[in-house]
Amino acid sequence: MPITDLLERNAKIYANDVALVEVNPAVTEVKRVTWREYELMETNPAAAYRREITWNVFNEKANRFAHLLMERGIKKDDKVGILLMNCLEWLPIYFGILKTGAIAVPLNFRYSSDEIEYCVDLADVDILVFGPEFIGRVEEIAPKISKNRLLFYVGEGCPSFAEDYNSLVANCSSMNPDIPIIDDDNAAIYFSSGTTGFPKAILHKHKALSHSAKCEQNHHKQTKDDVFLCIPPLYHTGAKMHWFGSLFSGSKAVLLKGTKPEHILETASREHCTIVWLLVPWAQDILTEIESGKVDLAKYELKQWRLMHIGAQPVPASLIDHWHKYFPGQQYDTNYGLSESTGPGCVHLGIDNTDHVGAIGVPGYGWECKIMDDEGNEVQKPTDGKDSNVGELCVKGPGVMIEYYKNPEATDECLKGEWLYTGDMAIYDKDGFIWLVDRKKDVIISGGENIYPVQIEAFLMKNEKIQDVAVIGIGDERLGEITAAIIELKPGMEATEDEINDFCLPLPRYKRPKKIIFADVPRNPTGKIEKPALRERYGAKNLVAQENNG
């Protein structure tokens, strides 16, 4: 069924139950308001610490926006962009777009004005909806992009170059627009993270979104009684498709505007959250603050928190061992996916497989996987008790993208029939579980040896002084490339290059980092290490210059 049918169902069955809660820890005065109360507020809605809407109001808001879009000429397969920080308006706007038969186009909140212009042009966006955080960036490009499209503003103090969303939707019908939508209709364009170049536009159908909802609910056994804490940005498939599990089960979700450990724990406690999705840095921050004494777990009610899961990157087994020291008995899962496969879930560890922490797992609900070597042969699962050979992970299932929009060359590169070639290198372990070894483009070739940075990163994360680490290849005249480890230490910790080198002695000689750099490790909003930025910063020439100046 189209994903919009799930919202309609929830509005009928769970009309007065809370669907979404927004929590904004930046507000010092705690004020709880419902959506109806919010509509009567004269102050900025962001000034409320906590806002909520029911399933019925959620659906009404989506219907109102759908009618507004249709009044402005939006029809099936037109495109509407969303440039908003996480907020209570985000999902009703998204579903309002889908209810018209149009295609939703979420945009990364980190985009510069030039990137916003590039993406709305690439995706043929007809209307752009944006929030107060983006006034300056949109104003920069408004003279160019407003010639071909409308601009709707969500928030207080609407700028002169846009129209006010709140006043526009107020007089629109709250009834279902009843536009016929089927599973094979186009639904959304998501942009790749850009870690391997400029973002590509990824086109998905309704059936992909609907399957991701079934997949999430199946993996994490969500029921009506669960409460999901969503922290990552909704523009990304990771956050959206994890929330789809709440949509499928009709359960409450909480949008937290902040990532500080005390805010995460306080919100999980106050809202009685049962499922929390964290990125590795956030989990590590929580553990660091617990051990430093800044966070006292006794202050929070966390017994109901049954599942912590992590996605977006390989997870060191040492981190989960450490986590269970403070949260014993809590279930754990990791999810692998990419925007081209409708986000997380095409591979998952499974809550019953914590003895394989570190692996990304097995094929997800409704998915198939295979690993292909450079010669185009399928890598076989081992039968001798050892790991398999390395190859490229490929996935097939209902969530595979239709195409890279307006980019047939890139589409042909990664879509081979029904199979999506992910660009991630992987192996099978002796039990048939899949382990990532690295991105194909991140493999370091040093003296003819293939070196997989993820393996070195996982080893270094066992060091109790290390908060985060990224391993990259830098140019070398003799070996082609050498490994460099960028190491971010925990607050208050100190370490020397010699100390790290001694720690790495158990590694095979060719895997030991040849260069140690103590610095922050940059990650994008979905938790992925920004390795292109690191390679640009710490290229061979830059390192020589830094050493000469140091």
Side-chain angles (χ1 to χ4, degrees):
M1 69 170 71
I3 195 75
T4 48
D5 285 2
L6 291 175
L7 178 57
E8 288 286 337
R9 180 206 65 180
N10 289 353
K12 291 175 183 176
I13 300 176
Y14 311 121
N16 296 318
D17 292 350
V18 174
L20 292 172
V21 176
E22 176 199 298
V23 174
N24 184 0
V27 179
T28 55
E29 179 184 357
V30 176
K31 182 171 183 179
R32 296 175 180 270
V33 296
T34 66
W35 185 285
R36 295 303 188 194
E37 290 171 324
Y38 148 65
E39 287 182 326
L40 300 175
M41 292 171 58
E42 295 181 357
T43 57
N44 186 333
Y49 174 88
R50 184 186 188 278
R51 299 192 288 152
E52 67 177 41
I53 54 173
T54 64
W55 283 111
N56 186 50
V57 174
F58 182 165
N59 192 46
E60 286 182 356
K61 289 294 177 184
N63 290 340
R64 289 181 190 277
F65 189 51
H67 282 288
L68 172 62
L69 293 175
M70 291 189 297
E71 287 174 10
R72 297 306 183 90
I74 292 296
K75 58 190 182 302
K76 220 165 197 177
D77 282 333
D78 286 343
K79 288 91 178 173
V80 181
I82 306 174
L83 184 59
L84 296 169
M85 303 297 287
N86 280 12
C87 59
L88 211 56
E89 293 83 2
W90 210 112
L91 287 165
I93 286 172
Y94 181 84
F95 275 82
I97 298 166
L98 298 185
K99 279 172 174 267
T100 68
I103 298 171
V105 185
L107 299 174
N108 188 328
F109 63 65
R110 284 191 176 182
Y111 283 161
S112 66
S113 55
D114 288 344
E115 288 171 317
I116 294 168
E117 182 183 359
Y118 172 87
C119 289
V120 297
D121 284 343
L122 174 61
D124 296 321
V125 166
D126 299 286
I127 293 178
L128 176 64
V129 183
F130 69 100
E133 298 85 358
F134 309 99
I135 290 176
R137 278 175 268 179
V138 175
E139 185 175 20
E140 247 182 87
I141 56 176
K144 290 180 282 186
I145 66 172
S146 62
K147 291 178 182 177
N148 306 314
R149 55 186 61 87
L150 300 174
L151 303 176
F152 290 164
Y153 173 77
V154 180
E156 295 296 312
C158 182
S160 59
F161 57 85
E163 298 183 72
D164 184 6
Y165 163 86
N166 287 332
S167 61
L168 290 172
V169 297
N171 297 316
C172 292
S173 170
S174 62
M175 302 300 292
N176 188 343
D178 286 327
I179 301 297
I181 299 170
I182 61 174
D183 284 350
D184 277 331
D185 283 340
N186 294 330
I189 287 176
Y190 288 91
F191 285 94
S192 62
S193 62
T195 56
T196 56
F198 219 77
K200 295 187 284 289
I202 300 161
L203 179 62
H204 281 293
K205 294 192 174 187
H206 271 270
K207 65 181 178 183
L209 305 189
S210 296
H211 180 76
S212 68
K214 296 175 189 174
C215 188
E216 177 67 14
Q217 191 277 331
N218 180 277
H219 289 171
H220 296 148
K221 312 304 179 190
Q222 281 170 281
T223 70
K224 183 70 173 65
D225 296 327
D226 275 309
V227 179
F228 173 51
L229 179 56
C230 182
I231 308 169
L234 285 167
Y235 75 78
H236 193 268
T237 53
K240 182 82 57 35
M241 280 47 177
H242 279 312
W243 173 78
F244 277 169
S246 301
L247 176 70
F248 192 86
S249 58
S251 54
K252 184 175 87 172
V254 181
L255 305 176
L256 174 61
K257 302 175 78 168
T259 62
K260 291 183 178 179
E262 62 268 29
H263 294 158
I264 294 172
L265 296 173
E266 181 179 334
T267 303
S269 177
R270 284 189 176 184
E271 300 293 338
H272 306 292
C273 297
T274 62
I275 302 174
V276 180
W277 177 38
L278 299 175
L279 300 180
V280 166
W282 303 341
Q284 186 63 62
D285 288 345
I286 289 173
L287 293 174
T288 298
E289 299 233 336
I290 290 172
E291 294 187 333
S292 69
K294 291 181 180 178
V295 163
D296 180 4
L297 288 179
K299 293 181 178 179
Y300 306 105
E301 179 56 63
L302 301 173
K303 291 180 182 177
Q304 79 289 344
W305 184 354
R306 70 172 179 85
L307 172 65
M308 185 274 274
H309 60 112
I310 291 179
Q313 62 200 103
V315 182
S318 57
L319 173 64
I320 304 307
D321 289 341
H322 198 184
W323 184 267
H324 280 145
K325 175 182 174 183
Y326 295 101
F327 301 93
Q330 192 176 92
Q331 292 175 321
Y332 166 74
D333 191 16
T334 189
N335 293 269
Y336 166 88
L338 52 166
S339 296
E340 290 86 344
S341 66
T342 334
C346 59
V347 183
H348 84 120
L349 182 64
I351 56 180
D352 297 323
N353 295 319
T354 50
D355 55 332
H356 284 80
V357 169
I360 58 171
V362 296
Y365 174 77
W367 286 91
E368 298 177 49
C369 300
K370 65 181 180 180
I371 297 174
M372 301 294 289
D373 66 21
D374 288 340
E375 283 72 47
N377 301 312
E378 187 170 348
V379 172
Q380 299 302 308
K381 294 179 182 178
T383 57
D384 56 2
K386 299 179 181 179
D387 292 342
S388 74
N389 293 330
V390 175
E392 183 174 357
L393 176 62
C394 307
V395 298
K396 181 173 78 168
V400 168
M401 70 175 187
I402 303 306
E403 63 179 357
Y404 287 122
Y405 186 64
K406 297 197 303 189
N407 194 339
E409 294 83 6
T411 301
D412 291 343
E413 214 174 288
C414 71
L415 276 184
K416 312 292 183 186
E418 296 181 282
W419 288 94
L420 172 68
Y421 282 60
T422 67
D424 284 320
M425 307 304 288
I427 59 170
Y428 295 113
D429 69 12
K430 61 184 179 62
D431 299 315
F433 281 74
I434 299 169
W435 294 68
L436 287 189
V437 295
D438 228 310
R439 288 291 298 171
K440 196 170 187 177
K441 294 184 179 180
D442 288 341
V443 174
I444 299 166
I445 303 176
S446 182
E449 292 276 6
N450 282 3
I451 301 173
Y452 301 101
V454 166
Q455 295 174 336
I456 304 171
E457 290 162 357
F459 177 84
L460 284 167
M461 284 298 293
K462 296 177 184 177
N463 189 306
E464 294 183 354
K465 292 185 177 182
I466 293 177
Q467 175 87 350
D468 206 356
V469 62
V471 173
I472 61 172
I474 58 176
D476 181 81
E477 288 185 6
R478 179 170 172 269
L479 297 173
E481 287 183 297
I482 58 172
T483 53
I486 294 87
I487 293 173
E488 182 177 333
L489 296 173
K490 292 179 181 177
M493 292 291 183
E494 295 182 358
T496 64
E497 288 186 34
D498 287 343
E499 185 178 347
I500 299 299
N501 287 331
D502 288 344
F503 182 80
C504 290
L505 287 176
L507 286 171
R509 183 181 295 274
Y510 75 97
K511 288 187 179 182
R512 297 173 197 165
K514 302 300 186 290
K515 187 75 182 178
I516 305 296
I517 302 167
F518 294 105
D520 290 343
V521 175
R523 290 181 179 268
N524 67 20
T526 60
K528 294 179 182 177
I529 298 171
E530 295 182 331
K531 289 195 175 180
L534 289 174
R535 282 191 283 264
E536 183 177 348
R537 180 177 180 185
Y538 296 113
K541 292 180 180 178
N542 289 340
L543 281 175
V544 171
Q546 289 170 23
E547 289 169 352
N548 289 341
N549 292 331

